[in-house]
Amino acid sequence: EDQVTQSPEALRLQEGESSSLNCSYTVSGLRGLFWYRQDPGKGPEFLFTLYSAGEEKEKERLKATLTKKESFLHITAPKPEDSATYLCAVQAGSSASKIIFGSGTRLSIRP
Amino acid sequence: GAVVSQHPSWVICKSGTSVKIECRSLDFQATTMFWYRQFPKQSLMLMATSNEGSKATYEQGVEKDKFLINHASLTLSTLTVTSAHPEDSSFYICSAGTGYHANTEAFFGQGTRLTVV
């Protein structure tokens, strides 16, 4: 069964304290892995798409990496405005429409 | 990025009534749109996939007669919750896919908070 697991469930950091969020997946035929940011009461905001192991993408203080089993979202010197829930999702299998979301990591940055 | 507009952002309705939620892609043509449901502190659960001009494909366990989806054009999909009950209260989110591999670059609407009283 295709699965996406995110850890930790919640993470509290001090402003400027770098860390990483993990997304582990077991799917048949990965087509793409996505990272989204979601603020309370709002829809997810697209951050990155990764397609193959070894791929990396960066945006401001965020950097996403991908291996054959997991993806990391590294956050460098975070600011309070980076506080949000970060969602990982995978698109897999023969159906181009099937997408599976992880449960998310609630990130809180203290000033 | 592309813009997906969802309306309304919140709605309160009485039990037994129907509610329609609209999802529009504002600056691109979305051949495929997706509808999700999200409970508090939980992740998004795909309900159905709608392709323009054809019937929606529902995920296992989602009642197609209760959650009516219409994808009338390349820029508009609607979700109607029929005969709503309190257990249907949730956060409903749509997303629109671009390109052949739908959802490869998926952009989400702002979500609709439905409360059934």
Side-chain angles (χ1 to χ4, degrees), chain A residues 5-13 19-24 35 71-73 84-87 102-108:
Chain A
T5 304
Q6 287 187 250
S7 62
E9 185 176 316
L11 181 62
R12 298 184 69 184
L13 301 172
S19 188
S20 296
L21 313 182
N22 178 265
C23 172
S24 299
W35 282 99
S71 176
F72 291 94
L73 184 64
T85 295
Y86 289 86
L87 298 169
S103 53
T105 294
R106 291 191 304 279
L107 179 64
S108 176

Side-chain angles (χ1 to χ4, degrees), chain B residues 10-20 81-86 88-89 113-117:
Chain B
W10 61 271
V11 58
I12 302 173
C13 71
K14 291 184 177 181
S15 186
T17 62
S18 295
V19 174
K20 180 183 284 188
V81 183
T82 63
S83 186
H85 288 93
D88 298 325
S89 298
R113 171 74 58 194
L114 170 63
T115 303
V116 185
V117 298

Side-chain angles (χ1 to χ4, degrees), chain A residues 31 34 36 38 41-44 46 49 51 87 91 96-99 101-103, chain B residues 34 36 38 43-44 46 49 59 91 93 101-110:
Chain A
R31 300 177 75 91
F34 315 98
Y36 293 88
Q38 186 177 27
K42 296 188 178 180
F46 173 78
T49 305
Y51 295 100
L87 298 169
Q91 186 177 30
S97 64
K98 189 69 174 181
I99 187 165
F101 275 86
S103 53
Chain B
F34 308 86
Y36 296 85
Q38 187 177 33
S43 192
L44 283 73
L46 180 65
T49 304
E59 294 299 304
F91 193 53
I93 308 174
H101 295 295
N103 225 33
T104 301
E105 296 287 347
F107 301 94
F108 286 80
Q110 309 95 311

Side-chain angles (χ1 to χ4, degrees), chain A residues 9-62:
Chain A
E9 185 176 316
L11 181 62
R12 298 184 69 184
L13 301 172
Q14 198 69 34
E15 183 174 3
E17 180 184 0
S18 301
S19 188
S20 296
L21 313 182
N22 178 265
C23 172
S24 299
Y25 62 91
T26 52
V27 295
S28 53
L30 179 71
R31 300 177 75 91
L33 184 142
F34 315 98
W35 282 99
Y36 293 88
R37 168 191 171 131
Q38 186 177 27
D39 292 301
K42 296 188 178 180
E45 175 189 343
F46 173 78
L47 294 174
F48 304 109
T49 305
L50 301 168
Y51 295 100
S52 58
E55 190 175 358
E56 298 182 352
K57 289 191 176 175
E58 288 188 65
K59 180 181 179 180
E60 297 180 351
R61 295 178 291 282
L62 299 175

Side-chain angles (χ1 to χ4, degrees), chain B residues 7-99:
Chain B
H7 179 80
S9 56
W10 61 271
V11 58
I12 302 173
C13 71
K14 291 184 177 181
S15 186
T17 62
S18 295
V19 174
K20 180 183 284 188
I21 302 170
E22 290 188 350
C23 180
R24 294 180 183 272
S25 56
L26 298 185
D27 54 359
F28 68 100
Q29 292 185 329
T31 53
T32 306
M33 288 188 176
F34 308 86
W35 287 95
Y36 296 85
R37 184 173 180 174
Q38 187 177 33
F39 291 104
K41 295 188 177 181
Q42 294 188 25
S43 192
L44 283 73
M45 298 298 296
L46 180 65
M47 298 175 65
T49 304
S50 75
N51 293 292
E52 185 264 340
S54 61
K55 290 183 178 181
T57 301
Y58 290 82
E59 294 299 304
Q60 193 172 12
V62 178
E63 299 177 60
K64 61 181 181 180
D65 293 331
K66 181 168 188 60
F67 299 100
L68 301 180
I69 292 173
N70 183 272
H71 195 154
S73 73
L74 286 172
T75 59
L76 174 65
S77 177
T78 60
L79 168 68
T80 301
V81 183
T82 63
S83 186
H85 288 93
E87 56 265 30
D88 298 325
S89 298
S90 188
F91 193 53
Y92 292 87
I93 308 174
C94 72
S95 79
T98 60

